[in-house]
Amino acid sequence: MKAAAKAHTNIALIKYWGKRDEQLFLPTNSSISLTLDKFYTETSVAFDPELDTDQFFLNGQQADQKETAKITSFLDRIRIMSGKSLYAKIDSENHVPTAAGFASSASGFAALATAATKAIGLDLDDRKLSQIARQGSGSASRSIFGGYVEWQKGEKNDGSDCYALPILGEQAWDLRILSVEVTTKEKKILSREGMKRTVETSPFYSGWLEAVEKDLITARAAIKATDFEKLGHVVEANALKMHATTLGANPPFMYWQSATVEVLQEVQELRASGVEAYFTIDAGPNVKVLCKPEDEAKIMEKLSLLPVVREIHPCRPGPGISYLS
Ligand code: FM0
């Protein structure tokens, strides 16, 4: 009763920001992402009648009780589905540099959902897998698929219509995402906490919900038409709107640092000088720059000159989940 799987991380082009059900991880808005080739998680799961508890190893080290408890509550959903009450040994290798500002939870729960369901004998399609991965971390639902992906929010209370769907495969449109790591000092507000506080207290949240519906329409159309300029503009504007909601929260917070703003301004200057580059930012200070393959070298060179830039990781569109032997 053993299986292993690999899943890649993804970057949101139109952000998931807020839950309508915290237990089932149902979002208040749909989101769109690009799965990336460079960063991924490989996980093997072995259910074993000899075990009386789950054992979780991350990068070869046994995880503490708190981390293991998260995995156990996730696996409980799969145990209930399969009708089997076996515990498992989970081995996970993360190839995601945390400092680069990518959440390893997206690739982590996508790989875990894929390996665990297979190991326990469930034969599920990708849509169903995305629903299971979603219940570990919302953004993990999108990492089941490669390329350009939409996670649709659904309307139902049980989450049965809430899953990810591919929009365009990773081979169909070659864009680049440059992950720009900046020097940081402040402590992190996790996206889970940040989105909850924003939903509950920010007067700007209703404006976000209204705007994101329009941004989704624009982004879907831009991806289907492979219209880079249209996509870039909506991606950048959507990220700014998400971050604006945090300024209205109580207590207010912001993910940006001065280094973040320096990179944003450099990207806008590049654009003013005729280079097509657009930024997006997740729940942290690092910046991701979206560009065409032919502009990648030039943009990297320019951004590297900023003293606040520590490292740049260039990424390409990446594949969805795969099973490992
Ligand atoms: O990825 O509480 O998935 O759409 O990265 O685990 O469901 O870590 F910028 C923020 C990701 C949020 C946008 O949140 O939250 C996005 C964000 P969980 P996640």
Side-chain angles (χ1 to χ4, degrees), residues 177-209:
I177 294 275
L178 311 178
S179 170
V180 184
E181 197 183 311
V182 297
T183 47
T184 62
K185 40 187 185 301
E186 272 157 50
K187 93 164 199 255
K188 220 171 131 68
I189 299 173
L190 295 174
S191 46
R192 194 166 297 179
E193 275 168 57
M195 69 173 80
K196 183 171 156 67
R197 192 191 299 174
T198 304
V199 171
E200 287 170 358
T201 67
S202 179
F204 306 152
Y205 193 68
S206 56
W208 160 257
L209 287 180

Short mmCIF file of all heavy atoms in Angstrom, two decimals, residues 177-209:
data_model
loop_
_atom_site.label_atom_id
_atom_site.label_comp_id
_atom_site.label_asym_id
_atom_site.label_seq_id
_atom_site.Cartn_x
_atom_site.Cartn_y
_atom_site.Cartn_z
N ILE A 177 8.42 33.42 -15.52
CA ILE A 177 8.20 34.06 -14.22
C ILE A 177 9.56 34.15 -13.55
O ILE A 177 10.23 33.13 -13.32
CB ILE A 177 7.26 33.21 -13.33
CG1 ILE A 177 5.85 33.13 -13.90
CG2 ILE A 177 7.24 33.75 -11.89
CD1 ILE A 177 4.94 34.28 -13.56
N LEU A 178 10.00 35.36 -13.26
CA LEU A 178 11.26 35.54 -12.53
C LEU A 178 10.91 35.77 -11.07
O LEU A 178 10.21 36.73 -10.74
CB LEU A 178 12.02 36.76 -13.08
CG LEU A 178 12.17 36.81 -14.61
CD1 LEU A 178 12.90 38.10 -15.01
CD2 LEU A 178 12.91 35.60 -15.13
N SER A 179 11.36 34.87 -10.24
CA SER A 179 11.09 35.02 -8.82
C SER A 179 12.22 35.85 -8.20
O SER A 179 13.36 35.40 -8.14
CB SER A 179 11.01 33.65 -8.15
OG SER A 179 10.98 33.83 -6.76
N VAL A 180 11.89 37.05 -7.80
CA VAL A 180 12.90 37.99 -7.33
C VAL A 180 12.91 38.00 -5.80
O VAL A 180 11.97 38.47 -5.16
CB VAL A 180 12.63 39.42 -7.87
CG1 VAL A 180 13.74 40.37 -7.45
CG2 VAL A 180 12.47 39.40 -9.38
N GLU A 181 13.99 37.44 -5.26
CA GLU A 181 14.12 37.32 -3.81
C GLU A 181 14.80 38.59 -3.29
O GLU A 181 15.89 38.93 -3.74
CB GLU A 181 15.01 36.10 -3.56
CG GLU A 181 14.97 35.53 -2.19
CD GLU A 181 15.97 34.37 -2.11
OE1 GLU A 181 15.98 33.48 -2.97
OE2 GLU A 181 16.76 34.41 -1.16
N VAL A 182 14.14 39.25 -2.34
CA VAL A 182 14.74 40.48 -1.79
C VAL A 182 15.20 40.24 -0.35
O VAL A 182 14.76 39.30 0.30
CB VAL A 182 13.76 41.68 -1.84
CG1 VAL A 182 13.40 42.04 -3.27
CG2 VAL A 182 12.50 41.41 -1.02
N THR A 183 16.04 41.11 0.12
CA THR A 183 16.49 41.01 1.51
C THR A 183 15.32 41.37 2.43
O THR A 183 14.59 42.32 2.17
CB THR A 183 17.65 41.98 1.77
OG1 THR A 183 17.29 43.25 1.23
CG2 THR A 183 18.90 41.51 1.09
N THR A 184 15.15 40.58 3.48
CA THR A 184 13.98 40.78 4.33
C THR A 184 14.38 40.87 5.79
O THR A 184 15.41 40.36 6.19
CB THR A 184 13.00 39.60 4.20
OG1 THR A 184 13.66 38.42 4.64
CG2 THR A 184 12.50 39.44 2.80
N LYS A 185 13.52 41.51 6.56
CA LYS A 185 13.75 41.55 8.00
C LYS A 185 12.51 41.24 8.82
O LYS A 185 12.58 40.68 9.88
CB LYS A 185 14.37 42.88 8.43
CG LYS A 185 13.80 44.10 7.73
CD LYS A 185 14.60 45.34 8.09
CE LYS A 185 14.05 46.62 7.53
NZ LYS A 185 13.95 46.69 6.07
N GLU A 186 11.35 41.56 8.28
CA GLU A 186 10.14 41.42 9.10
C GLU A 186 9.64 40.00 9.21
O GLU A 186 9.91 39.17 8.36
CB GLU A 186 9.03 42.31 8.53
CG GLU A 186 9.10 43.71 9.11
CD GLU A 186 8.43 44.73 8.23
OE1 GLU A 186 7.28 44.48 7.83
OE2 GLU A 186 9.05 45.75 7.94
N LYS A 187 8.83 39.75 10.24
CA LYS A 187 8.28 38.40 10.39
C LYS A 187 7.03 38.25 9.55
O LYS A 187 6.34 39.20 9.23
CB LYS A 187 8.08 38.08 11.87
CG LYS A 187 6.75 38.37 12.47
CD LYS A 187 6.67 37.61 13.81
CE LYS A 187 5.24 37.46 14.24
NZ LYS A 187 4.83 38.32 15.32
N LYS A 188 6.80 37.03 9.18
CA LYS A 188 5.77 36.72 8.20
C LYS A 188 4.37 36.62 8.81
O LYS A 188 4.20 36.06 9.88
CB LYS A 188 6.13 35.35 7.61
CG LYS A 188 5.91 35.23 6.13
CD LYS A 188 6.51 33.92 5.64
CE LYS A 188 5.52 33.17 4.78
NZ LYS A 188 5.20 33.75 3.50
N ILE A 189 3.38 37.18 8.12
CA ILE A 189 1.98 36.90 8.45
C ILE A 189 1.53 35.88 7.41
O ILE A 189 1.50 36.17 6.22
CB ILE A 189 1.09 38.16 8.35
CG1 ILE A 189 1.58 39.22 9.35
CG2 ILE A 189 -0.37 37.81 8.60
CD1 ILE A 189 0.88 40.55 9.22
N LEU A 190 1.24 34.67 7.86
CA LEU A 190 0.86 33.61 6.93
C LEU A 190 -0.37 34.02 6.12
O LEU A 190 -1.22 34.75 6.62
CB LEU A 190 0.57 32.32 7.69
CG LEU A 190 1.77 31.71 8.43
CD1 LEU A 190 1.33 30.53 9.27
CD2 LEU A 190 2.85 31.29 7.43
N SER A 191 -0.43 33.52 4.88
CA SER A 191 -1.57 33.89 4.05
C SER A 191 -2.89 33.47 4.69
O SER A 191 -3.89 34.18 4.57
CB SER A 191 -1.43 33.32 2.64
OG SER A 191 -1.04 31.99 2.67
N ARG A 192 -2.88 32.34 5.39
CA ARG A 192 -4.13 31.88 6.02
C ARG A 192 -4.66 32.90 7.03
O ARG A 192 -5.83 33.23 7.03
CB ARG A 192 -3.89 30.51 6.68
CG ARG A 192 -5.18 29.81 7.04
CD ARG A 192 -4.96 28.35 7.37
NE ARG A 192 -4.46 27.59 6.23
CZ ARG A 192 -4.18 26.28 6.28
NH1 ARG A 192 -4.33 25.62 7.41
NH2 ARG A 192 -3.71 25.66 5.21
N GLU A 193 -3.75 33.38 7.88
CA GLU A 193 -4.13 34.40 8.87
C GLU A 193 -4.52 35.71 8.19
O GLU A 193 -5.47 36.37 8.56
CB GLU A 193 -2.91 34.79 9.72
CG GLU A 193 -2.57 33.98 10.90
CD GLU A 193 -1.16 34.41 11.36
OE1 GLU A 193 -0.95 35.61 11.64
OE2 GLU A 193 -0.29 33.52 11.40
N GLY A 194 -3.68 36.10 7.22
CA GLY A 194 -3.86 37.39 6.55
C GLY A 194 -5.20 37.46 5.83
O GLY A 194 -5.92 38.46 5.93
N MET A 195 -5.56 36.39 5.13
CA MET A 195 -6.82 36.44 4.38
C MET A 195 -8.02 36.42 5.33
O MET A 195 -9.02 37.08 5.09
CB MET A 195 -6.90 35.37 3.29
CG MET A 195 -7.02 33.94 3.73
SD MET A 195 -7.30 32.82 2.31
CE MET A 195 -5.66 32.61 1.64
N LYS A 196 -7.89 35.71 6.43
CA LYS A 196 -8.99 35.63 7.41
C LYS A 196 -9.23 37.02 8.05
O LYS A 196 -10.37 37.49 8.12
CB LYS A 196 -8.62 34.61 8.49
CG LYS A 196 -9.68 34.35 9.54
CD LYS A 196 -9.24 33.16 10.41
CE LYS A 196 -9.88 33.15 11.79
NZ LYS A 196 -11.32 32.92 11.76
N ARG A 197 -8.15 37.65 8.45
CA ARG A 197 -8.28 38.98 9.06
C ARG A 197 -8.89 39.97 8.07
O ARG A 197 -9.71 40.82 8.43
CB ARG A 197 -6.92 39.48 9.54
CG ARG A 197 -7.05 40.69 10.44
CD ARG A 197 -5.72 41.36 10.71
NE ARG A 197 -4.77 40.48 11.38
CZ ARG A 197 -3.49 40.81 11.60
NH1 ARG A 197 -3.03 41.99 11.22
NH2 ARG A 197 -2.68 39.96 12.19
N THR A 198 -8.47 39.85 6.81
CA THR A 198 -8.98 40.77 5.78
C THR A 198 -10.48 40.57 5.54
O THR A 198 -11.25 41.53 5.49
CB THR A 198 -8.20 40.56 4.48
OG1 THR A 198 -6.81 40.72 4.75
CG2 THR A 198 -8.61 41.55 3.42
N VAL A 199 -10.89 39.30 5.41
CA VAL A 199 -12.31 39.00 5.19
C VAL A 199 -13.14 39.56 6.35
O VAL A 199 -14.19 40.17 6.16
CB VAL A 199 -12.54 37.47 5.07
CG1 VAL A 199 -14.03 37.15 5.06
CG2 VAL A 199 -11.87 36.93 3.82
N GLU A 200 -12.65 39.35 7.57
CA GLU A 200 -13.43 39.72 8.75
C GLU A 200 -13.45 41.21 9.05
O GLU A 200 -14.42 41.71 9.62
CB GLU A 200 -12.89 38.96 9.98
CG GLU A 200 -13.26 37.48 9.93
CD GLU A 200 -12.56 36.63 10.98
OE1 GLU A 200 -11.73 37.18 11.74
OE2 GLU A 200 -12.83 35.41 11.01
N THR A 201 -12.39 41.93 8.66
CA THR A 201 -12.30 43.32 9.14
C THR A 201 -12.09 44.40 8.08
O THR A 201 -12.27 45.58 8.38
CB THR A 201 -11.14 43.46 10.16
OG1 THR A 201 -9.90 43.25 9.49
CG2 THR A 201 -11.26 42.47 11.32
N SER A 202 -11.68 44.04 6.86
CA SER A 202 -11.33 45.11 5.92
C SER A 202 -12.54 45.64 5.17
O SER A 202 -13.24 44.87 4.49
CB SER A 202 -10.29 44.60 4.90
OG SER A 202 -9.99 45.64 3.99
N PRO A 203 -12.81 46.94 5.25
CA PRO A 203 -13.92 47.51 4.48
C PRO A 203 -13.66 47.47 2.98
O PRO A 203 -14.58 47.66 2.19
CB PRO A 203 -14.01 48.95 4.99
CG PRO A 203 -12.67 49.25 5.56
CD PRO A 203 -12.10 47.95 6.06
N PHE A 204 -12.41 47.21 2.59
CA PHE A 204 -12.09 47.14 1.15
C PHE A 204 -12.37 45.75 0.57
O PHE A 204 -12.24 45.55 -0.63
CB PHE A 204 -10.61 47.48 0.91
CG PHE A 204 -10.18 48.80 1.48
CD1 PHE A 204 -8.86 49.01 1.87
CD2 PHE A 204 -11.09 49.85 1.63
CE1 PHE A 204 -8.46 50.22 2.40
CE2 PHE A 204 -10.69 51.07 2.16
CZ PHE A 204 -9.37 51.25 2.55
N TYR A 205 -12.72 44.81 1.44
CA TYR A 205 -12.88 43.43 0.94
C TYR A 205 -14.02 43.30 -0.07
O TYR A 205 -13.92 42.58 -1.04
CB TYR A 205 -13.03 42.43 2.10
CG TYR A 205 -12.87 41.02 1.60
CD1 TYR A 205 -11.65 40.55 1.14
CD2 TYR A 205 -13.98 40.16 1.51
CE1 TYR A 205 -11.51 39.27 0.63
CE2 TYR A 205 -13.84 38.88 1.01
CZ TYR A 205 -12.60 38.44 0.57
OH TYR A 205 -12.47 37.18 0.05
N SER A 206 -15.11 44.05 0.16
CA SER A 206 -16.24 43.96 -0.78
C SER A 206 -15.83 44.50 -2.16
O SER A 206 -16.26 43.98 -3.20
CB SER A 206 -17.45 44.70 -0.24
OG SER A 206 -17.10 46.04 0.02
N GLY A 207 -14.96 45.50 -2.16
CA GLY A 207 -14.44 46.05 -3.42
C GLY A 207 -13.58 45.02 -4.15
O GLY A 207 -13.64 44.89 -5.37
N TRP A 208 -12.79 44.27 -3.37
CA TRP A 208 -11.98 43.19 -3.94
C TRP A 208 -12.88 42.17 -4.65
O TRP A 208 -12.62 41.79 -5.80
CB TRP A 208 -11.15 42.51 -2.84
CG TRP A 208 -10.68 41.14 -3.21
CD1 TRP A 208 -11.21 39.95 -2.79
CD2 TRP A 208 -9.60 40.81 -4.11
NE1 TRP A 208 -10.53 38.90 -3.37
CE2 TRP A 208 -9.54 39.40 -4.18
CE3 TRP A 208 -8.70 41.56 -4.86
CZ2 TRP A 208 -8.61 38.73 -4.96
CZ3 TRP A 208 -7.77 40.89 -5.65
CH2 TRP A 208 -7.73 39.50 -5.68
N LEU A 209 -13.93 41.75 -3.97
CA LEU A 209 -14.80 40.71 -4.54
C LEU A 209 -15.45 41.17 -5.84
O LEU A 209 -15.60 40.39 -6.78
CB LEU A 209 -15.87 40.29 -3.53
CG LEU A 209 -15.36 39.46 -2.36
CD1 LEU A 209 -16.52 39.10 -1.43
CD2 LEU A 209 -14.65 38.19 -2.84
#
